[in-house]
Amino acid sequence: MNRPILIVVIGYIIGIIWGIYFKVSIFPFYFLLFLIYIIIKLPYKKRKFKILSIKRYFRYIKLIFKINIIITIIISSFISNTIIKILENKYENLYHEGENLNISAIVIGNKQEKDYYDRYKIKVTDGKYKNTQLYINVSKKKQLKYGDKITFKGEFKESAKARNYKSFSYKQYLKTLKIYGTAKVEKIEILEKNKANPIMQISNKTFLKIKNNIEKTYSDKMAKIILGIMLGDTTEIDDETKENFANSNISHVLAVSGLHISYIILLATKSTKNIFGKRQSKIIASIILVIYMAVTGFSISVVRASIMGILTCMAFVVYRKSDTLNNIAISALIILISNPYNLISISFLLTYGGTLGIIYFQPVIEKIIKSFKIRNRKWKYIYLRVQRKCENIISIISVSISAQIIIAPIMALYFNSAGLGFLITNLLLSCIIGIIVIGGFIQILISLISIN
């Protein structure tokens, strides 16, 4: 196996999908794998009609169905399927609708303002519910802060399931956040301050400082968009603005991507390589990426892009060639081990779908655009002149088309929309996104320097 991690990830994903969507044992799938393996290994006589030859259609499958690959898939899928079964049982049976709760917990999320109450994310610290995470709805009169240790009484509210086929399931969405449900608080008391994980406490303080600095610099609406672009925090962006971004096919700018990470690496290496050297500058860039992941709350798109960036930097440090597919597989495995339900998150599907689309289709699309032939000599001359001077534009177009090949079906499936104006919007966006990202990072650095 040239890429064993990739095979492990494929098996891990199969186990998760089987555990979430099929309520039967995964062993029939293993039986099918071995059955196919036996069939393709059986000797077949040459047939008169080649179109009916089984060997003809299995010659490529033979390259995939090797015994070591099958065993690897079985082991990794069995592990993930077992984990999913355990988690499904906990999500269904640990809490019950209307159950009275009297528990202690630590606040691990910043305030989310609602119309009639404030919502906080908490982590339970005692009893049979220990280490589970909940949302609590608290009166606006009671203000909590990240790291507060609290005790509260309340009533558990189970999240709504999907009522119709393909309709939104809030319960499934909360599973991607490791949230078991919501508690309506009746009585709450703050016991201690700053009791959260010290690293996460510092990361959250840094995030709030950056947020406060951005809010002081920009208008209210622009500040929320900048927060989305730079830190992937879209919780305060109104639905109308999100819809406008979606209709313009630029929703991806509100999720931290490889573009952001490449700028971080570029700024870190350029500013430190003359002092520490090239290899050391890559290590510094990797450390900065780890800090960036923590500050942004380890969101899926940030973790994916950051891990791939770190692996690329480390490959340079140890004088190895970076393997993009292996990097993708490693980042996906880390994300899915931390929470298997991330697989059904729209963020996971879009960030990995877009990345795979660019890797596989961008070279082909770019080659097609460059090989486009024009018979008219005058227009052909103009086209060739433009092509030589507009390599970046051709690259942007090919990247946009390649990403949309996979992203568009996902958008159509989840949001019933798939626009065709992505070429124009992405071309316009490419002219300013670099300035926005660099300016945003300068703003972040200013915020970090001013932290007490």
Side-chain angles (χ1 to χ4, degrees):
M1 291 185 290
N2 294 329
R3 296 187 176 98
I5 297 296
L6 182 61
I7 304 301
V8 170
V9 170
I10 291 171
Y12 207 82
I13 289 173
I14 290 171
I16 293 171
I17 292 173
W18 196 282
I20 292 176
Y21 295 107
F22 301 99
K23 301 305 178 184
V24 296
S25 171
I26 196 173
F27 284 97
F29 170 71
Y30 301 152
F31 174 77
L32 179 63
L33 281 181
F34 280 112
L35 183 62
I36 294 173
Y37 176 77
I38 292 170
I39 290 173
I40 65 175
K41 291 296 181 181
L42 287 175
Y44 285 92
K45 295 180 180 179
K46 291 184 179 180
R47 297 177 182 268
K48 184 177 180 180
F49 301 103
K50 290 292 183 180
I51 195 169
L52 300 176
S53 174
I54 295 178
K55 275 194 172 182
R56 178 178 180 177
Y57 299 107
F58 278 128
R59 60 185 177 184
Y60 296 112
I61 298 178
K62 281 184 177 181
L63 299 175
I64 301 172
F65 278 86
K66 295 180 179 179
I67 192 66
N68 57 341
I69 292 177
I70 292 175
I71 291 173
T72 302
I73 289 176
I74 288 174
I75 293 173
S76 60
S77 62
F78 179 78
I79 292 171
S80 61
N81 187 256
T82 303
I83 292 171
I84 280 291
K85 284 184 177 180
I86 294 170
L87 290 174
E88 284 283 289
N89 184 62
K90 285 184 69 176
Y91 276 108
E92 293 298 326
N93 300 313
L94 192 57
Y95 293 93
H96 302 282
E97 176 69 22
E99 180 180 352
N100 292 321
L101 303 177
N102 185 5
I103 52 182
S104 298
I106 294 175
V107 178
I108 57 171
N110 295 311
K111 179 174 66 175
Q112 300 178 29
E113 293 188 11
K114 304 296 180 180
D115 291 336
Y116 305 106
Y117 57 85
D118 291 331
R119 174 171 288 175
Y120 299 89
K121 183 179 179 181
I122 64 165
K123 184 175 183 179
V124 181
T125 57
D126 60 2
K128 69 174 183 177
Y129 304 118
K130 189 174 181 179
N131 294 326
T132 61
Q133 298 177 17
L134 297 170
Y135 276 141
I136 56 172
N137 296 336
V138 183
S139 169
K140 288 183 175 292
K141 296 179 181 178
K142 191 70 174 181
Q143 296 296 306
L144 304 177
K145 290 185 178 180
Y146 192 102
D148 285 353
K149 185 173 182 180
I150 60 173
T151 180
F152 72 91
K153 293 181 180 179
E155 182 182 346
F156 178 76
K157 296 291 182 183
E158 189 174 352
S159 306
K161 299 180 181 179
R163 295 185 178 182
N164 301 308
Y165 174 68
K166 289 181 67 176
S167 63
F168 177 72
S169 172
Y170 188 60
K171 185 168 186 176
Q172 287 290 80
Y173 167 71
L174 289 186
K175 287 179 182 180
T176 66
L177 304 176
K178 292 186 176 181
I179 304 293
Y180 281 75
T182 305
K184 184 180 179 182
V185 173
E186 298 169 358
K187 184 179 179 181
I188 188 168
E189 181 182 354
I190 300 174
L191 302 177
E192 297 179 78
K193 297 282 186 180
N194 301 320
K195 299 302 291 183
N197 180 289
I199 295 175
M200 296 308 298
Q201 193 94 34
I202 295 171
S203 300
N204 186 70
K205 182 181 178 182
T206 305
F207 170 79
L208 292 177
K209 188 68 178 180
I210 294 169
K211 180 181 178 182
N212 183 55
N213 199 309
I214 290 174
E215 287 174 346
K216 287 179 180 178
T217 307
Y218 303 96
S219 64
D220 182 57
K221 190 170 185 178
M222 182 56 69
K224 292 173 182 177
I225 294 174
I226 294 294
L227 279 171
I229 294 174
M230 300 310 306
L231 300 177
D233 179 24
T234 60
T235 55
E236 295 185 12
I237 299 178
D238 59 90
D239 293 335
E240 183 182 353
T241 302
K242 288 180 181 178
E243 188 175 348
N244 290 337
F245 271 83
N247 293 335
S248 302
N249 297 283
I250 54 174
S251 295
H252 57 276
V253 302
L254 297 178
V256 175
S257 64
L259 176 69
H260 300 69
I261 301 307
S262 63
Y263 276 118
I264 291 176
I265 294 173
L266 179 65
L267 290 171
T269 53
K270 288 289 184 182
S271 59
T272 59
K273 71 177 182 179
N274 291 332
I275 303 172
F276 301 103
K278 288 185 178 180
R279 293 177 67 195
Q280 287 75 12
S281 69
K282 295 292 184 182
I283 296 173
I284 292 170
S286 300
I287 294 170
I288 292 172
L289 288 178
V290 173
I291 295 170
Y292 185 61
M293 282 193 286
V295 170
T296 55
F298 295 98
S299 64
I300 291 174
S301 60
V302 176
V303 172
R304 193 274 306 167
S306 297
I307 290 176
M308 290 184 66
I310 291 170
L311 291 172
T312 302
C313 290
M314 290 300 101
F316 180 87
V317 171
V318 298
Y319 302 107
R320 293 289 184 89
K321 185 178 180 181
S322 180
D323 188 317
T324 305
L325 276 180
N326 263 340
N327 294 349
I328 291 175
I330 292 170
S331 66
L333 186 61
I334 292 171
I335 289 171
L336 294 176
I337 287 175
S338 68
N339 183 10
Y341 290 100
N342 281 331
L343 182 65
I344 59 175
S345 165
I346 185 64
S347 298
F348 183 94
L349 296 176
L350 290 177
T351 190
Y352 281 97
T355 303
L356 290 172
I358 292 169
I359 289 171
Y360 283 106
F361 299 117
Q362 193 268 339
V364 178
I365 299 295
E366 187 170 345
K367 187 176 180 180
I368 292 172
I369 294 173
K370 289 183 177 180
S371 64
F372 186 72
K373 295 181 180 179
I374 299 176
R375 292 183 179 181
N376 185 289
R377 291 185 179 181
K378 181 181 177 180
W379 286 107
K380 184 178 181 180
Y381 173 76
I382 294 172
Y383 173 74
L384 291 174
R385 288 287 300 274
V386 171
Q387 180 178 306
R388 292 191 195 101
K389 294 183 178 181
C390 301
E391 288 289 332
N392 289 337
I393 293 178
I394 293 174
S395 179
I396 292 167
I397 291 173
S398 60
V399 166
S400 299
I401 294 173
S402 303
Q404 287 295 322
I405 288 174
I406 296 182
I407 288 176
I410 296 173
M411 295 292 289
L413 180 64
Y414 280 83
F415 303 107
N416 298 317
S417 66
L420 299 176
F422 60 88
L423 287 178
I424 297 174
T425 53
N426 279 279
L427 278 172
L428 295 174
L429 182 66
S430 66
C431 299
I432 60 172
I433 189 64
I435 298 171
I436 293 173
V437 172
I438 292 173
F441 282 129
I442 293 172
Q443 186 82 26
I444 290 174
L445 288 173
I446 293 171
S447 302
L448 294 174
I449 292 169
S450 63
I451 290 178
N452 294 327

